[in-house]
Amino acid sequence: MGIFSRKNNESATTTATLPVDPALAALTGEYTIDPAHSSIGFTVRHAMVTNVRGTFAEHEGSLKLDGSDPGASTASIDVKIASIDTGIGDRDGHLRSGDFFDAEQFPLMTFRSTSAEQLGGDKYRVTGDLTIKDVTKPLSIDLEFNGTATDVYGNERVGFEGSAEILRSAWGLTWNAALETGGVMVSDKVKLNFDISAIKNAA
């Protein structure tokens, strides 16, 4: 079941005559990301030999799903940098500092979608603008649609999970230290991880 625009070889005329999938149309509406049941995190190679994982505990966002015109669906996410958590207080403090995110001067990391497409089945790619510090660059996030459900409180939910890779240096996160054995302390490549549960807003 597609949520975003579908890639196919059919003509625009043929596509326009296709009936709207009732299940897809039922998803139409605005949704609020539920931070208590969502996770936004990252994985980065440390000292060339292991991975450090972390999350941002505080974030908020919204989705707008359009079942009649899936390509018009949008996503918006704001992440509070100061909420970074890798499980080590000293490391978290360093990440908040001017060496990395400079959370005091740049408190938010934001994503605003500009387009979305279906890659096949329940797999999608959402493209938009990622802003870290004072740098904005395009980012594509590959997502899998996990389905819909009505929870015990009567909330209509949708779920997605996915990831994207960035080079942190492209957003001005350039701090590093050389290792005696060669290589550097922190990899430039960072994997961003998304596990999203969103609740449909009341009409």
Side-chain angles (χ1 to χ4, degrees):
M1 177 176 64
I3 292 180
F4 303 114
S5 57
R6 294 180 171 143
K7 286 183 173 179
N8 55 56
N9 296 320
E10 297 180 60
S11 68
T13 301
T14 303
T15 302
T17 62
L18 292 176
V20 175
D21 183 339
L24 177 60
L27 297 180
T28 296
E30 297 186 359
Y31 294 74
T32 299
I33 293 175
D34 177 9
H37 296 94
S38 301
S39 175
I40 297 176
F42 60 90
T43 304
V44 62
R45 183 75 72 179
H46 177 262
M48 310 294 291
V49 297
T50 191
N51 289 320
V52 168
R53 294 175 173 81
T55 61
F56 295 93
E58 297 181 40
H59 52 83
E60 62 183 20
S62 61
L63 308 175
K64 183 177 181 181
L65 305 183
D66 190 329
S68 299
D69 182 11
S73 298
T74 61
S76 174
I77 300 174
D78 293 341
V79 176
K80 188 174 181 180
I81 294 297
S83 71
I84 196 168
D85 182 5
T86 65
I88 304 294
D90 287 346
R91 181 167 59 206
D92 296 343
H94 191 198
L95 290 170
R96 295 184 190 107
S97 76
D99 282 346
F100 285 94
F101 288 104
D102 196 354
E104 184 173 348
Q105 184 174 357
F106 305 102
L108 292 179
M109 173 173 64
T110 66
F111 178 78
R112 301 290 184 266
S113 70
T114 56
S115 64
E117 60 183 348
Q118 184 180 25
L119 302 179
D122 286 332
K123 298 185 183 300
Y124 303 87
R125 178 168 293 152
V126 178
T127 298
D129 294 323
L130 175 68
T131 300
I132 302 174
K133 299 175 80 169
D134 57 351
V135 179
T136 299
K137 289 185 175 294
L139 175 71
S140 291
I141 305 171
D142 288 344
L143 295 167
E144 183 171 358
F145 176 51
N146 288 337
T148 65
T150 301
D151 65 24
V152 295
Y153 302 105
N155 297 312
E156 296 180 55
R157 291 179 178 267
V158 293
F160 300 87
E161 61 180 313
S163 63
E165 286 191 350
I166 67 170
L167 297 179
R168 62 187 179 88
S169 60
W171 279 266
L173 303 175
T174 57
W175 183 92
N176 226 321
L179 301 174
E180 291 183 4
T181 53
V184 292
M185 181 69 74
V186 185
S187 171
D188 191 22
K189 183 184 294 185
V190 180
K191 182 178 181 181
L192 302 177
N193 305 300
F194 303 87
D195 198 342
I196 302 297
S197 178
I199 298 172
K200 192 172 188 179
N201 299 344

